[in-house]
mmCIF file of all heavy atoms in Angstrom:
data_model
loop_
_atom_site.group_PDB
_atom_site.id
_atom_site.type_symbol
_atom_site.label_atom_id
_atom_site.label_comp_id
_atom_site.label_asym_id
_atom_site.label_seq_id
_atom_site.Cartn_x
_atom_site.Cartn_y
_atom_site.Cartn_z
ATOM 1 N N PHE A 245 63.705 -3.746 -47.491
ATOM 2 C CA PHE A 245 63.925 -2.321 -47.444
ATOM 3 C C PHE A 245 63.811 -1.864 -45.926
ATOM 4 O O PHE A 245 63.497 -2.678 -45.072
ATOM 5 C CB PHE A 245 62.764 -1.620 -48.184
ATOM 6 C CG PHE A 245 61.386 -1.741 -47.628
ATOM 7 C CD1 PHE A 245 60.800 -0.709 -46.896
ATOM 8 C CD2 PHE A 245 60.642 -2.914 -47.892
ATOM 9 C CE1 PHE A 245 59.528 -0.844 -46.350
ATOM 10 C CE2 PHE A 245 59.314 -3.051 -47.364
ATOM 11 C CZ PHE A 245 58.788 -2.048 -46.617
ATOM 12 N N ASN A 246 64.177 -0.651 -45.695
ATOM 13 C CA ASN A 246 64.195 -0.071 -44.340
ATOM 14 C C ASN A 246 62.829 0.500 -44.006
ATOM 15 O O ASN A 246 62.239 1.303 -44.760
ATOM 16 C CB ASN A 246 65.196 1.098 -44.295
ATOM 17 C CG ASN A 246 66.385 0.798 -43.472
ATOM 18 O OD1 ASN A 246 66.671 -0.325 -43.104
ATOM 19 N ND2 ASN A 246 67.166 1.848 -43.125
ATOM 20 N N ALA A 247 62.282 0.190 -42.878
ATOM 21 C CA ALA A 247 61.075 0.865 -42.410
ATOM 22 C C ALA A 247 61.432 2.308 -42.099
ATOM 23 O O ALA A 247 62.528 2.603 -41.692
ATOM 24 C CB ALA A 247 60.521 0.128 -41.188
ATOM 25 N N PRO A 248 60.472 3.160 -42.233
ATOM 26 C CA PRO A 248 60.715 4.580 -41.878
ATOM 27 C C PRO A 248 60.921 4.793 -40.428
ATOM 28 O O PRO A 248 60.558 3.963 -39.594
ATOM 29 C CB PRO A 248 59.443 5.323 -42.381
ATOM 30 C CG PRO A 248 58.349 4.262 -42.311
ATOM 31 C CD PRO A 248 59.040 2.967 -42.643
ATOM 32 N N PRO A 249 61.465 5.935 -40.004
ATOM 33 C CA PRO A 249 61.772 6.201 -38.583
ATOM 34 C C PRO A 249 60.477 6.390 -37.756
ATOM 35 O O PRO A 249 60.561 6.281 -36.534
ATOM 36 C CB PRO A 249 62.610 7.452 -38.604
ATOM 37 C CG PRO A 249 62.250 8.124 -39.828
ATOM 38 C CD PRO A 249 62.019 7.017 -40.809
ATOM 39 N N ASP A 250 59.373 6.786 -38.365
ATOM 40 C CA ASP A 250 58.201 7.255 -37.656
ATOM 41 C C ASP A 250 57.767 6.339 -36.537
ATOM 42 O O ASP A 250 57.402 6.824 -35.430
ATOM 43 C CB ASP A 250 56.979 7.337 -38.639
ATOM 44 C CG ASP A 250 57.315 8.119 -39.866
ATOM 45 O OD1 ASP A 250 58.443 8.115 -40.376
ATOM 46 O OD2 ASP A 250 56.384 8.850 -40.404
ATOM 47 N N GLY A 251 57.760 4.993 -36.702
ATOM 48 C CA GLY A 251 57.255 4.131 -35.732
ATOM 49 C C GLY A 251 58.252 3.610 -34.675
ATOM 50 O O GLY A 251 57.860 2.803 -33.830
ATOM 51 N N LEU A 252 59.464 4.072 -34.769
ATOM 52 C CA LEU A 252 60.462 3.498 -33.850
ATOM 53 C C LEU A 252 60.682 4.302 -32.576
ATOM 54 O O LEU A 252 60.767 5.599 -32.608
ATOM 55 C CB LEU A 252 61.861 3.474 -34.604
ATOM 56 C CG LEU A 252 63.013 2.805 -33.876
ATOM 57 C CD1 LEU A 252 62.710 1.367 -33.472
ATOM 58 C CD2 LEU A 252 64.268 2.830 -34.737
ATOM 59 N N TYR A 253 60.732 3.599 -31.408
ATOM 60 C CA TYR A 253 60.818 4.272 -30.144
ATOM 61 C C TYR A 253 61.907 3.528 -29.307
ATOM 62 O O TYR A 253 61.875 2.276 -29.250
ATOM 63 C CB TYR A 253 59.496 4.104 -29.352
ATOM 64 C CG TYR A 253 58.354 4.912 -29.901
ATOM 65 C CD1 TYR A 253 57.736 4.455 -31.074
ATOM 66 C CD2 TYR A 253 57.944 6.094 -29.308
ATOM 67 C CE1 TYR A 253 56.649 5.218 -31.607
ATOM 68 C CE2 TYR A 253 56.862 6.784 -29.790
ATOM 69 C CZ TYR A 253 56.224 6.340 -30.988
ATOM 70 O OH TYR A 253 55.202 7.102 -31.481
ATOM 71 N N PHE A 254 62.813 4.267 -28.704
ATOM 72 C CA PHE A 254 63.695 3.770 -27.709
ATOM 73 C C PHE A 254 62.887 3.725 -26.354
ATOM 74 O O PHE A 254 62.435 4.795 -25.916
ATOM 75 C CB PHE A 254 64.903 4.652 -27.523
ATOM 76 C CG PHE A 254 66.006 4.075 -26.602
ATOM 77 C CD1 PHE A 254 67.111 3.548 -27.093
ATOM 78 C CD2 PHE A 254 65.839 4.135 -25.243
ATOM 79 C CE1 PHE A 254 68.105 3.029 -26.244
ATOM 80 C CE2 PHE A 254 66.763 3.632 -24.378
ATOM 81 C CZ PHE A 254 67.936 3.080 -24.883
ATOM 82 N N VAL A 255 62.649 2.541 -25.828
ATOM 83 C CA VAL A 255 61.710 2.466 -24.712
ATOM 84 C C VAL A 255 62.373 2.029 -23.347
ATOM 85 O O VAL A 255 61.669 2.028 -22.348
ATOM 86 C CB VAL A 255 60.570 1.507 -25.022
ATOM 87 C CG1 VAL A 255 59.783 2.006 -26.219
ATOM 88 C CG2 VAL A 255 61.075 0.089 -25.277
ATOM 89 N N GLY A 256 63.635 1.735 -23.323
ATOM 90 C CA GLY A 256 64.215 1.384 -22.053
ATOM 91 C C GLY A 256 65.698 0.943 -22.150
ATOM 92 O O GLY A 256 66.162 0.508 -23.205
ATOM 93 N N ALA A 257 66.353 1.017 -21.046
ATOM 94 C CA ALA A 257 67.739 0.550 -20.930
ATOM 95 C C ALA A 257 67.920 -0.046 -19.552
ATOM 96 O O ALA A 257 67.396 0.454 -18.562
ATOM 97 C CB ALA A 257 68.710 1.721 -21.096
ATOM 98 N N ASP A 258 68.593 -1.175 -19.489
ATOM 99 C CA ASP A 258 68.795 -1.901 -18.232
ATOM 100 C C ASP A 258 70.260 -1.758 -17.798
ATOM 101 O O ASP A 258 71.185 -1.752 -18.591
ATOM 102 C CB ASP A 258 68.467 -3.426 -18.430
ATOM 103 C CG ASP A 258 67.064 -3.673 -18.816
ATOM 104 O OD1 ASP A 258 66.214 -2.730 -18.693
ATOM 105 O OD2 ASP A 258 66.770 -4.800 -19.297
ATOM 106 N N TYR A 259 70.402 -1.663 -16.400
ATOM 107 C CA TYR A 259 71.692 -1.483 -15.776
ATOM 108 C C TYR A 259 71.869 -2.413 -14.601
ATOM 109 O O TYR A 259 70.836 -2.853 -14.035
ATOM 110 C CB TYR A 259 71.898 -0.021 -15.380
ATOM 111 C CG TYR A 259 71.837 0.939 -16.540
ATOM 112 C CD1 TYR A 259 70.675 1.455 -16.962
ATOM 113 C CD2 TYR A 259 73.049 1.288 -17.174
ATOM 114 C CE1 TYR A 259 70.658 2.349 -18.032
ATOM 115 C CE2 TYR A 259 73.032 2.183 -18.266
ATOM 116 C CZ TYR A 259 71.807 2.669 -18.713
ATOM 117 O OH TYR A 259 71.793 3.475 -19.793
ATOM 118 N N PRO A 260 73.114 -2.664 -14.203
ATOM 119 C CA PRO A 260 73.348 -3.395 -12.922
ATOM 120 C C PRO A 260 72.744 -2.670 -11.765
ATOM 121 O O PRO A 260 72.773 -1.418 -11.688
ATOM 122 C CB PRO A 260 74.808 -3.502 -12.819
ATOM 123 C CG PRO A 260 75.351 -3.219 -14.208
ATOM 124 C CD PRO A 260 74.362 -2.234 -14.821
ATOM 125 N N ALA A 261 72.152 -3.373 -10.824
ATOM 126 C CA ALA A 261 71.650 -2.778 -9.571
ATOM 127 C C ALA A 261 72.866 -2.378 -8.691
ATOM 128 O O ALA A 261 73.859 -3.135 -8.603
ATOM 129 C CB ALA A 261 70.706 -3.703 -8.850
ATOM 130 N N LEU A 262 72.804 -1.224 -8.117
ATOM 131 C CA LEU A 262 73.886 -0.731 -7.251
ATOM 132 C C LEU A 262 73.311 -0.482 -5.840
ATOM 133 O O LEU A 262 72.393 0.368 -5.719
ATOM 134 C CB LEU A 262 74.524 0.515 -7.865
ATOM 135 C CG LEU A 262 75.194 0.379 -9.201
ATOM 136 C CD1 LEU A 262 75.651 1.709 -9.672
ATOM 137 C CD2 LEU A 262 76.422 -0.602 -9.074
ATOM 138 N N ASN A 263 73.865 -1.128 -4.855
ATOM 139 C CA ASN A 263 73.430 -0.894 -3.444
ATOM 140 C C ASN A 263 71.945 -1.060 -3.306
ATOM 141 O O ASN A 263 71.243 -0.234 -2.599
ATOM 142 C CB ASN A 263 73.864 0.509 -2.980
ATOM 143 C CG ASN A 263 75.387 0.618 -3.001
ATOM 144 O OD1 ASN A 263 76.118 -0.344 -2.667
ATOM 145 N ND2 ASN A 263 75.866 1.801 -3.354
ATOM 146 N N GLY A 264 71.380 -1.976 -4.017
ATOM 147 C CA GLY A 264 69.916 -2.287 -3.904
ATOM 148 C C GLY A 264 69.069 -1.381 -4.725
ATOM 149 O O GLY A 264 67.883 -1.489 -4.779
ATOM 150 N N MET A 265 69.684 -0.386 -5.492
ATOM 151 C CA MET A 265 68.926 0.545 -6.283
ATOM 152 C C MET A 265 68.829 0.055 -7.729
ATOM 153 O O MET A 265 69.836 -0.422 -8.319
ATOM 154 C CB MET A 265 69.573 1.931 -6.231
ATOM 155 C CG MET A 265 69.588 2.589 -4.840
ATOM 156 S SD MET A 265 70.391 4.166 -4.847
ATOM 157 C CE MET A 265 69.233 5.152 -5.892
ATOM 158 N N ASN A 266 67.691 0.243 -8.322
ATOM 159 C CA ASN A 266 67.471 -0.192 -9.749
ATOM 160 C C ASN A 266 67.631 1.040 -10.644
ATOM 161 O O ASN A 266 66.913 2.043 -10.451
ATOM 162 C CB ASN A 266 66.009 -0.741 -9.863
ATOM 163 C CG ASN A 266 65.777 -1.302 -11.233
ATOM 164 O OD1 ASN A 266 66.564 -1.159 -12.178
ATOM 165 N ND2 ASN A 266 64.670 -1.959 -11.413
ATOM 166 N N PHE A 267 68.542 0.992 -11.607
ATOM 167 C CA PHE A 267 68.780 2.133 -12.443
ATOM 168 C C PHE A 267 68.232 1.899 -13.858
ATOM 169 O O PHE A 267 68.564 2.645 -14.790
ATOM 170 C CB PHE A 267 70.310 2.389 -12.491
ATOM 171 C CG PHE A 267 70.831 2.974 -11.219
ATOM 172 C CD1 PHE A 267 71.548 2.126 -10.333
ATOM 173 C CD2 PHE A 267 70.653 4.274 -10.912
ATOM 174 C CE1 PHE A 267 72.067 2.601 -9.177
ATOM 175 C CE2 PHE A 267 71.138 4.756 -9.687
ATOM 176 C CZ PHE A 267 71.898 3.988 -8.854
ATOM 177 N N ASP A 268 67.356 0.918 -14.023
ATOM 178 C CA ASP A 268 66.709 0.690 -15.327
ATOM 179 C C ASP A 268 65.837 1.891 -15.605
ATOM 180 O O ASP A 268 65.247 2.565 -14.697
ATOM 181 C CB ASP A 268 65.949 -0.557 -15.357
ATOM 182 C CG ASP A 268 66.754 -1.827 -15.130
ATOM 183 O OD1 ASP A 268 68.004 -1.618 -15.086
ATOM 184 O OD2 ASP A 268 66.170 -2.888 -14.967
ATOM 185 N N SER A 269 65.662 2.162 -16.921
ATOM 186 C CA SER A 269 64.772 3.349 -17.270
ATOM 187 C C SER A 269 63.325 2.902 -17.641
ATOM 188 O O SER A 269 62.508 3.731 -17.894
ATOM 189 C CB SER A 269 65.375 4.064 -18.500
ATOM 190 O OG SER A 269 65.459 3.257 -19.648
ATOM 191 N N ARG A 270 63.070 1.602 -17.608
ATOM 192 C CA ARG A 270 61.707 1.162 -17.770
ATOM 193 C C ARG A 270 61.004 1.000 -16.441
ATOM 194 O O ARG A 270 61.686 0.634 -15.538
ATOM 195 C CB ARG A 270 61.640 -0.149 -18.585
ATOM 196 C CG ARG A 270 62.147 -0.078 -20.045
ATOM 197 C CD ARG A 270 61.874 -1.343 -20.763
ATOM 198 N NE ARG A 270 62.469 -2.491 -20.075
ATOM 199 C CZ ARG A 270 62.307 -3.737 -20.419
ATOM 200 N NH1 ARG A 270 61.436 -4.032 -21.339
ATOM 201 N NH2 ARG A 270 62.915 -4.693 -19.799
ATOM 202 N N PRO A 271 59.715 1.134 -16.385
ATOM 203 C CA PRO A 271 58.968 0.931 -15.116
ATOM 204 C C PRO A 271 59.205 -0.498 -14.632
ATOM 205 O O PRO A 271 59.312 -1.428 -15.424
ATOM 206 C CB PRO A 271 57.531 1.193 -15.454
ATOM 207 C CG PRO A 271 57.585 2.096 -16.693
ATOM 208 C CD PRO A 271 58.807 1.678 -17.439
#
Side-chain angles (χ1 to χ4, degrees):
F245 69 100
N246 248 17
D250 307 36
L252 185 59
Y253 294 74
F254 187 104
V255 298
D258 298 344
Y259 295 89
L262 296 175
N263 299 323
M265 298 178 64
N266 184 353
F267 290 101
D268 298 353
S269 63
R270 295 188 301 170

